[in-house]
């Protein structure tokens, strides 16, 4: 028998508007509201090989957290979005390692590993 930490992952994307008020002068255009397609990839620890957490149901639940048109993210960064999402997942699925990637247009973003 193999002993491994096992994760599943799901992906989804959502249109959103945000800004970076303290952007450096070289990218001062980021200080104003601008649009991205925020792309999410979420890994979550599972304890069995038989759909401990079912992919489609997990993805639908996550997408439901962001229902209702484009996201109005104000000055929230990818890192902040990740932390807020983690708190919601942790509440629904406690005691699991969770990794979250949030990117802007699949080009730049953040990655965080949240321990149990």
């Amino acid at each position: 028998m193999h002993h491994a930490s096992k994760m599943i992952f799901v992906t989804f994307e959502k249109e959103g508007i945000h800004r970076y008020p303290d952007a450096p002068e070289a990218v001062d255009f980021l200080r104003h509201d601008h649009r991205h397609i925020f792309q999410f990839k979420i890994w979550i620890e599972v304890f069995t090989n038989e759909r401990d957490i079912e992919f489609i149901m997990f993805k639908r639940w996550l997408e439901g957290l962001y229902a209702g048109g484009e996201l109005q993210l104000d000055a929230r960064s990818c890192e902040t979005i990740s932390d807020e999402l983690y708190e919601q997942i942790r509440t629904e699925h406690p005691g699991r390692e969770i990794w979250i990637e949030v990117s802007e247009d699949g080009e730049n973003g953040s990655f965080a590993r949240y321990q149990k």
Side-chain angles (χ1 to χ4, degrees):
M1 173 151 200
H2 300 154
H3 297 285
S5 175
K6 296 186 180 184
M7 311 284 282
I8 62 164
F9 72 88
V10 298
T11 64
F12 67 98
E13 58 185 41
K14 185 72 179 176
E15 180 180 10
I17 307 291
H18 78 158
R19 66 186 169 283
Y20 178 18
D22 298 325
E25 191 65 33
V27 288
D28 63 346
F29 57 89
L30 296 175
R31 296 175 188 167
H32 307 285
D33 285 352
H34 56 279
R35 175 193 179 270
H36 290 291
I37 299 298
F38 287 89
Q39 296 178 326
F40 297 82
K41 186 169 186 177
I42 295 92
W43 292 260
I44 188 167
E45 183 178 25
V46 294
F47 303 120
T48 73
N49 289 342
E50 303 306 323
R51 300 288 169 94
D52 181 10
I53 296 176
E54 204 290 318
F55 302 131
I56 296 170
M57 291 172 62
F58 185 52
K59 179 177 178 163
R60 287 177 180 166
W61 177 78
L62 289 164
E63 289 175 324
L65 298 175
Y66 298 103
E70 70 186 12
L71 302 177
Q72 296 298 320
L73 298 165
D74 301 315
R76 295 206 286 291
S77 65
C78 291
E79 295 87 344
T80 300
I81 295 165
S82 178
D83 287 348
E84 292 172 353
L85 179 56
Y86 167 72
E87 289 301 324
Q88 293 183 287
I89 296 169
R90 183 179 66 89
T91 299
E92 185 74 13
H93 297 284
R96 297 171 190 263
E97 188 168 354
I98 297 166
W99 304 349
I100 300 175
E101 178 181 300
V102 179
S103 71
E104 300 172 341
D105 310 310
E107 183 179 33
N108 305 303
S110 70
F111 175 78
R113 290 183 179 187
Y114 301 93
Q115 304 299 317
K116 298 180 201 183

